[in-house]
Amino acid sequence: MGNDGTLHLLYTCPFCWKVRGMIEYLKLDVNYHGINGLRAKKELKFVEDWNKVPVFTDANGKHFVDSTPIMKHLDDTFNQGSLQSGSEQSRQDTWLEWCDSKLSKATIPILYGGFFSALSTTRRVSKEEKFGFISRRIYAWLGFPIMWGIIARSRVKKDGRSPQKLWHDLLDEFTSEVGDNAFFGGSTPDLVDFAAFGYMRSISPFKQFSHLTSHERGMAWYRLMMDLVS
Ligand SMILES: N[C@@H](CCC(=O)N[C@@H](CS)C(=O)NCC(=O)O)C(=O)O
């Protein structure tokens, strides 16, 4: 365990990336424990009534679940809640909800929405994640038809836009709310910046990130965020 706690995660999970950005920004000493996604229920049975990642366990062994509440907890505990105090509360709540409902739904279409992109994503995920010998093979064979054939295709069809257009529209919406400021939070980032950043960053290990890099304003904000965590 790191001095500040442990994060159970999947390395390619967008919700986990939200929390990871905060951990890096706050320079916390947190141990990352990658789970086997096909055994999530079993691996997370130490938490009551919850079988999703991320799960944060603090230095006293107390568990925290759900990415946005975990981010708030980290900010309260290690940062005097300052990522939650700058902006008007209702604006921040509205946009946190926007990130969790809109950006979260855009990750699967861009990664799995096309036949070849789904194939390459599945291959990449099976390399990045901590699968066992058998589950890596199960994932490689079953992950692709499920993610592409069932989940992503129906989402893309329902939305009607190409996954790239969807991301560009969302980045237009987000960056116009950022306006002339550097960040959503103003001259410094707030919780919303870290939530949006996590979703966008979760695409970065994949080749489909190139569809996002053509969004100039989105990338200018993204680079500023990157500077804060690296
Ligand atoms: N609302 C949760 C969603 C987390 C979530 O859906 N995580 C996925 C991985 S990307 C998961 O653990 N799925 C495992 C399962 O549902 O069994 C959060 O923001 O943390």
Side-chain angles (χ1 to χ4, degrees):
M1 152 128 30
N3 284 330
D4 298 318
T6 296
L7 187 72
H8 282 76
L9 79 165
L10 285 165
Y11 290 99
T12 57
C13 160
F15 310 101
C16 301
W17 275 110
K18 286 164 64 185
V19 176
R20 288 166 75 178
M22 293 264 311
I23 288 173
E24 291 165 22
Y25 174 66
L26 299 175
K27 298 193 173 21
L28 303 182
D29 178 16
V30 170
N31 172 43
Y32 287 167
H33 183 104
I35 67 154
N36 177 340
L38 296 185
R39 292 160 50 92
K41 207 167 179 176
K42 212 166 188 180
E43 295 217 19
L44 299 174
K45 67 173 189 286
F46 62 90
V47 209
E48 227 171 280
D49 298 328
W50 192 261
N51 54 14
K52 293 176 195 296
V53 285
V55 172
F56 177 72
T57 306
D58 73 11
N60 301 317
K62 191 163 180 226
H63 307 304
F64 298 84
V65 300
D66 211 357
S67 55
T68 298
I70 296 174
M71 291 169 79
K72 289 182 176 170
H73 170 73
L74 296 179
D75 183 43
D76 287 337
T77 310
F78 298 103
N79 196 35
Q80 296 91 42
S82 55
L83 293 176
Q84 297 163 80
S85 58
S87 190
E88 187 196 321
Q89 195 59 52
S90 67
R91 174 176 176 258
Q92 194 175 71
D93 290 346
T94 304
W95 281 88
L96 275 178
E97 168 60 25
W98 180 88
C99 292
D100 287 340
S101 58
K102 299 285 174 68
L103 289 180
S104 74
K105 299 261 170 2
T107 59
I108 286 183
I110 195 119
L111 293 178
Y112 294 94
F115 182 86
F116 290 108
S117 72
L119 261 186
S120 89
T121 301
T122 312
R123 209 173 295 136
R124 186 75 205 248
V125 168
S126 75
K127 280 189 192 131
E128 299 259 331
E129 298 295 353
K130 198 181 151 240
F131 288 117
F133 181 81
I134 303 210
S135 44
R136 189 179 304 281
R137 275 150 189 82
I138 294 176
Y139 175 78
W141 285 102
L142 286 184
F144 166 71
I146 292 173
M147 296 308 283
W148 170 69
I150 302 173
I151 304 176
R153 274 208 305 180
S154 75
R155 278 200 197 168
V156 173
K157 200 169 158 201
K158 195 168 159 204
D159 185 79
R161 285 170 286 184
S162 72
Q164 176 169 0
K165 172 87 173 81
L166 169 61
W167 263 99
H168 278 239
D169 286 353
L170 292 171
L171 287 174
D172 281 348
E173 214 179 316
F174 183 69
T175 50
S176 62
E177 182 63 24
V178 169
D180 293 332
N181 295 316
F183 302 101
F184 176 94
S187 53
T188 54
D190 76 1
L191 217 60
V192 174
D193 289 289
F194 281 97
F197 178 58
Y199 287 117
M200 188 162 169
R201 196 177 178 198
S202 74
I203 315 295
S204 68
F206 300 93
K207 70 180 175 60
Q208 293 90 330
F209 194 62
S210 64
H211 298 313
L212 274 50
T213 52
S214 49
H215 194 284
E216 258 176 53
R217 292 192 67 200
M219 278 313 286
W221 163 83
Y222 181 84
R223 281 192 207 97
L224 289 177
M225 290 300 294
M226 241 5 243
D227 288 346
L228 294 173
V229 296
S230 46

